[in-house]
Amino acid sequence: MSEHRRKPQQPQGGGRAAARRGQSDPSAGRRAAPRGATGSPSDSYGFRSSGSDSQGSGGEERPYGGRAEARRAAQKNTGGRRRTPDNGGRGPGGPAGPGRGRGRASTPPDKKRLIDYPRANRFGWRRWVPSWKLTSGLCLTFLGSLVALVGVGYAMVGVPDENTAAKSQNNVYYWADGKQMVATGTGINRQNVTIDQIPKAMQYAVISAENKSFYTDPGVDFKGIARALVNMAQGGETQGGSTITQQFVKNTYLSQDQTVTRKFKEMFISVKVGTKFTKPEILQGYLNTSYFGRGAYGIQAAAQTYYGVDAKKLTPSQCAVLAALLKGATYYDPAGNTDIDQAATKDANYKRSHDRWGWILGEMHKDQHLSDAEYQTAIKKYPEPQGRKAVKGMTGQISYLADTAKKYVLAHSKVTEAQFDKGGFQIYTTFDKAKVNALNAAVNKVQKARLDPKHRDKDKYVQFGAASVVPKDGAIVALYGGAGYENNHFTNNADTSGVPVGSTWKPFVLAAAMQYGTYKTDGEGVSPLSKYNGDDNLKVRRPDGTYYLNKDNSIFRQRNESGYPWGYISLRKAMEQSVNTPFVQLGVDVGMTKVRDMAQASGVLFDSMSRDLNPSFAIGTSTPSAIRMADAYATFAASGEHVDPYSVTAVKEDGQELSGFDKPKPTRAMDENVANNVTDVLQNVIQNGTGTNAKALGRTAAGKTGTTDSNKSAWFVGYTQQLSTSVAMFRENPKDAELLSMNGTAGVASIHGGDIPTSVWTEYMRAALQGKNDLSFPDATKIGKVSDELGAPSPTPSPTITPSETPSETPSAPTPSETPGLPSPTISESCRFAWNCSDAGGTGAGGAGGATSSPSATESTGSGNANGGGNGGGNGGGNGNLFGGTTG
């Protein structure tokens, strides 16, 4: 080894050798720790050192055998204990000695940890197995924390106060311009009573129906709460309290959401209520805070609302009816509540109420709360509640406006009906006061002029429903719902289904044909100049060539309103005169599912459409509301762009605006040119067809009439660029809500859509659009291919066509004198577009836009606007209805 690697010799009695000798015991004759035991870096990498030991070895260098040997030597030198390295460089016996050869001290025994985990002195998997001390300690800690948490929660929650819960506020509605419409609430319809003023029968009716163990249970159904918590944690539906105590607690927290936190709080409050209040006090609180529907909170208000008596005077049978309402007033009020849910009809609600009434009385008898004699008396006859009553401010059309807005709020927020009726909301609506008044005035004016219910029985029970919607926006600006709550008319005729729309459905059939084509056109749209057989009593052919059959296997034949022999006429002409047979066959050729899809895309609700897609589906067996029909026609006015109708722009509670009331976004329902072509055809209906009464508006407008079988309803739906408005007229038996025939109403043979409904529409639109510009519709361009019905005659080729040429008329139509009700022939509308005049087809009446000498079964090869069929009708006055069945 070179000299520069060799360590300098140390003085005798000192230096490193002395330090090493000082670490050994001379009396024991043991050597100093070998070099490898010091932990010195030089030892680790095999360096040698020179010097003398305690025996005076003369500085002899001695190699060692690496780390293992050094560790063994160190253990032997310290009594066999292993030494662990120490960054301080101390020797094995204590503090570091002088010089470079300092050793490392051993680690003292482990200090005891608070939580011995992973476990010391255990190896492998045993280190991870907790000891029984740790396990029991954690359990005790958890239980202690839980007890503390429950104690804190129990101490912090308050108990409900039925008097505080009884306080209610007004709901305030505003017009579209921000001015107040009406303030209405439930404050005057709520009054607490003490338990001694609540009949025992009412108390036991609730206990038998909802919580038989009320007087013995602790007030909390822990199993039910556990199920509810698990259900909510899994994202399932929320669940209410299952005991009367829990329901009492829930009644006082109506503004809170159903959450896990809410459930825990409800549990704490219920436990506290059970310890602070007696059972009769809890039952009293529950019956004073429960919602019974019709804005009635508490048993006293319910007794007055449903039976006109104080609570203490209720009979056991009446108590059972009121107890049934607690199951859900919307569905158990026998008067029905279709303003909230179309499933809550009067008939359906009556059955539900009657069935539960009988069941509750049976349970009371079984639980020995009614004697045999009392039960037999109570079950003898169902005590039908009295009808609805108007509340303060809810009169005239205001009642229907408020109910429409309320329905919209409930459908677009998490607010429940009970919460809403408790009050405290500010509802900003789309309703235009001037237009609402104009629509109400139009109905009243026409009713007064045409109907005389005091002297004509057929004028009794006549009702109207109407709605007006802004195209491209969807805002409902006006509606007419009926005679008003003050006149015991509680059904909103503008927003209810059940009245078939008749021929106002035909534009959806035409739109579907132009959009999708028929099975014969391979998806290419059909031109409105395509010809179909318009004769009466026609067989309807399936695409496979077979005919539709009746239930007795006889061939089904579609009827028109009259037997007038129209022959093959264009779809445009068939729409103008509202002829049924062409549209029934067209609907089959297009496919009724496509017709349904087109109507739905335009705004008609699926639930209001007939489920039976038979041939009659094409001519209006569905029953949309007036609001939805106005909105669907607004889609045509907006060139195929649909916006859902809405009546509320904002809702506030305690000054905070609720979410969910953004303006609906538009969607594309049909091709722009399809909608514009429908509009062009419907303009012709007003100019030359069944809707000529609407010409009195003096503006550019389009629309369609509709009349149904047996004359049970009549419609007119029409629009300008600014407004789309629908008007429905019908007779309804107030006892069973059954539609009655209007044959003989207003002193005429039958009522058609082109008569009284069109007059109401015109009167309203004239006032609503006063001062507005007369805007024209977008131009319609040529669309689709001419696809005539199977069997339609082909045009006779001609080398030249001169303007003076007069087409032949085969077969000849009857003259006005031969057919009662037919008007004198008129000059047809001039062609709007060249392509409407160039369709070479079958023979027709009226020539190429010229005058006709008599009506004809077929229309001109020229103008699709020809008036050849005449516009008269059974009602006179140019209503233009010649046809029976679902037409108009």
Side-chain angles (χ1 to χ4, degrees), residues 223-518:
K223 291 183 179 179
I225 289 180
R227 286 194 302 269
L229 291 174
V230 171
N231 197 37
M232 284 188 285
Q234 294 176 344
E237 293 183 359
T238 58
Q239 297 179 2
S242 58
T243 70
I244 286 176
T245 304
Q246 288 175 255
Q247 292 182 57
F248 170 40
V249 170
K250 190 177 73 169
N251 287 346
T252 63
Y253 288 90
L254 288 174
S255 62
Q256 299 185 29
D257 294 331
Q258 286 277 18
T259 61
V260 173
T261 302
R262 153 72 191 276
K263 274 294 174 185
F264 274 114
K265 192 171 185 179
E266 179 185 303
M267 179 180 67
F268 290 140
I269 298 173
S270 298
V271 171
K272 202 165 189 176
V273 166
T275 60
K276 184 174 180 179
F277 296 143
T278 65
K279 290 291 185 177
E281 288 174 330
I282 295 172
L283 186 58
Q284 170 187 303
Y286 172 60
L287 289 173
N288 276 330
T289 58
S290 292
Y291 183 66
F292 289 84
R294 300 192 191 180
Y297 275 92
I299 185 59
Q300 174 66 12
Q304 287 289 349
T305 299
Y306 288 90
Y307 291 107
V309 300
D310 289 334
K312 61 184 179 182
K313 294 183 179 180
L314 290 169
T315 67
S317 189
Q318 292 171 337
C319 289
V321 172
L322 296 182
L325 290 168
L326 297 175
K327 181 76 171 175
T330 299
Y331 304 100
Y332 287 85
D333 181 351
N337 200 350
T338 53
D339 286 340
I340 302 299
D341 192 331
Q342 293 297 326
T345 63
K346 185 174 181 179
D347 291 342
N349 277 21
Y350 181 88
K351 184 179 187 307
R352 281 189 284 260
S353 176
H354 187 279
D355 291 348
R356 189 161 178 81
W357 162 77
W359 177 80
I360 290 175
L361 289 176
E363 292 300 301
M364 293 172 68
H365 182 230
K366 185 190 305 180
D367 297 338
Q368 299 182 353
H369 298 316
L370 286 179
S371 66
D372 292 345
E374 289 172 330
Y375 173 70
Q376 292 301 327
T377 301
I379 201 69
K380 186 178 297 183
K381 183 181 179 181
Y382 176 81
E384 189 163 349
Q386 60 191 18
R388 292 175 177 267
K389 299 176 183 177
V391 298
K392 183 179 179 181
M394 298 289 278
T395 57
Q397 296 309 304
I398 297 295
S399 53
Y400 307 115
L401 298 174
D403 272 357
T404 300
K406 173 183 175 180
K407 186 175 180 180
Y408 191 87
V409 171
L410 299 184
H412 291 81
S413 71
K414 295 181 180 179
V415 178
T416 66
E417 184 182 9
Q419 286 175 285
F420 190 89
D421 286 348
K422 194 177 181 182
F425 295 92
Q426 297 83 49
I427 304 98
Y428 297 84
T429 75
T430 60
F431 303 127
D432 185 308
K433 184 177 181 179
K435 290 181 174 61
V436 169
N437 291 338
L439 185 53
N440 183 65
V443 173
N444 290 338
K445 180 179 179 179
V446 175
Q447 273 186 311
K448 186 177 180 180
R450 299 294 302 274
L451 303 177
D452 187 5
K454 292 183 178 180
H455 300 93
R456 280 195 297 260
D457 286 342
K458 287 299 182 74
D459 289 3
K460 293 179 179 178
Y461 312 136
V462 173
Q463 298 184 35
F464 291 86
S468 194
V469 174
V470 178
K472 298 183 180 179
D473 184 279
I476 306 170
V477 294
L479 57 80
Y480 181 89
Y485 282 16
E486 69 275 20
N487 293 311
N488 296 319
H489 186 90
F490 295 95
T491 300
N492 185 353
N493 291 344
D495 195 23
T496 186
S497 61
V499 182
V501 294
S503 290
T504 57
W505 195 258
K506 290 173 182 174
F508 302 125
V509 182
L510 180 61
M514 290 191 288
Q515 180 79 31
Y516 304 114
T518 68

Side-chain angles (χ1 to χ4, degrees), residues 619-632:
I619 50 176
T621 55
S622 297
T623 59
S625 68
I627 290 176
R628 284 290 171 173
M629 285 301 288
D631 179 65

Side-chain angles (χ1 to χ4, degrees), residues 690-769:
T690 58
T692 53
N693 273 348
K695 290 173 68 174
L697 177 62
R699 288 175 174 269
T700 303
K704 183 69 186 75
T705 58
T707 308
T708 57
D709 287 336
S710 302
N711 202 209
K712 291 183 178 180
S713 65
W715 288 72
F716 184 76
V717 188
Y719 54 92
T720 65
Q721 281 274 50
Q722 297 101 324
L723 280 180
S724 176
T725 302
S726 64
V727 178
M729 177 182 177
F730 56 95
R731 289 182 71 213
E732 185 177 66
N733 188 327
K735 294 182 179 180
D736 55 14
E738 180 184 359
L739 291 179
L740 304 173
S741 173
M742 290 190 292
N743 289 335
T745 296
V748 297
S750 60
I751 296 293
H752 298 82
D755 187 11
I756 292 179
T758 303
S759 297
V760 172
W761 182 89
T762 305
E763 190 73 26
Y764 161 70
M765 293 289 279
R766 184 186 293 116
L769 296 173

Side-chain angles (χ1 to χ4, degrees), residues 40-127:
S40 168
S42 62
D43 292 335
S44 300
Y45 289 92
F47 289 110
R48 297 177 183 177
S49 61
S50 61
S52 59
D53 59 18
S54 59
Q55 303 298 323
S57 59
E60 180 183 0
E61 296 178 329
R62 183 179 176 180
Y64 289 91
R67 298 181 187 177
E69 185 179 346
R71 284 198 299 271
R72 286 194 294 273
Q75 290 172 1
K76 184 184 293 184
N77 201 34
T78 58
R81 290 185 62 184
R82 294 186 62 179
R83 304 289 179 176
T84 57
D86 186 297
N87 290 337
R90 296 180 177 87
R100 187 173 178 181
R102 292 179 296 176
R104 297 185 181 181
S106 62
T107 302
D110 291 340
K111 293 182 179 180
K112 199 164 186 177
R113 292 181 293 173
L114 181 63
I115 299 177
D116 185 20
Y117 193 82
R119 299 177 66 183
N121 302 322
R122 295 289 188 273
F123 304 97
W125 61 270
R126 291 181 177 84
R127 285 173 55 80

